[in-house]
Amino acid sequence: CQPETCQQVWWHSICKGEPMVVLDAPLLFESKANLLCKHVIIVHCSEATQLKRVSERDGVSIEEAQNAINAQMPTDKKISMSDVPIANDGTLEQLERKVEEGVGKLRAEAKGHVLRLVGL
């Protein structure tokens, strides 16, 4: 875990008394920052959608996007390590509704612990 990440989590959860802290860290599991979290929500999409989004976002070829994705932990493994997987192949409105539902399920349990949203 990056020291800055640990410091921010500590500050918001302990010093400010936030009941829930959301981290947006695509390499959450790879960096072991998930160890700071009581719950993990992963937002994922199909491989084809992920390739298209990465290629468009980063301005790279599909092959380069595939190489970047391959360098990360497989999505199915991240899903198996999460508490609430959320599929993101639909509209933004559908995603917002699913995220609200997922967070709502965990909100009562958070009570000063860290809640993590992984974005793909």
Side-chain angles (χ1 to χ4, degrees), residues 85-100:
I86 298 174
N88 181 20
D89 285 303
T91 65
L92 181 57
E93 293 78 23
Q94 290 169 326
L95 173 62
E96 289 172 348
R97 183 179 42 78
K98 290 177 183 180
V99 168
E100 283 298 321

Side-chain angles (χ1 to χ4, degrees), residues 97-115:
R97 183 179 42 78
K98 290 177 183 180
V99 168
E100 283 298 321
E101 290 171 2
V103 170
K105 290 178 184 178
L106 299 178
R107 191 177 306 275
E109 297 177 34
K111 303 288 187 223
H113 294 280
V114 179
L115 177 69

Side-chain angles (χ1 to χ4, degrees), residues 56-77:
E56 290 174 358
R57 180 195 69 205
D58 297 348
V60 298
S61 69
I62 293 294
E63 183 179 329
E64 291 170 308
Q66 184 67 62
N67 290 337
I69 292 167
N70 289 344
Q72 297 181 18
M73 180 183 293
T75 300
D76 59 342
K77 184 166 182 171

Side-chain angles (χ1 to χ4, degrees), residues 11-59:
W11 172 254
H12 286 284
S13 64
I14 304 300
C15 295
K16 292 187 78 179
E18 299 287 345
M20 185 181 304
V21 178
V22 177
L23 304 175
D24 184 7
L27 300 176
L28 178 82
F29 296 108
E30 293 87 343
S31 69
K32 307 282 190 243
N34 62 303
L35 299 175
L36 297 171
C37 305
K38 181 174 181 182
H39 298 290
V40 175
I41 295 175
I42 180 170
V43 178
H44 62 92
C45 58
S46 68
E47 185 176 344
T49 299
Q50 187 179 13
L51 278 170
K52 182 177 183 243
R53 289 177 180 170
V54 171
S55 177
E56 290 174 358
R57 180 195 69 205
D58 297 348

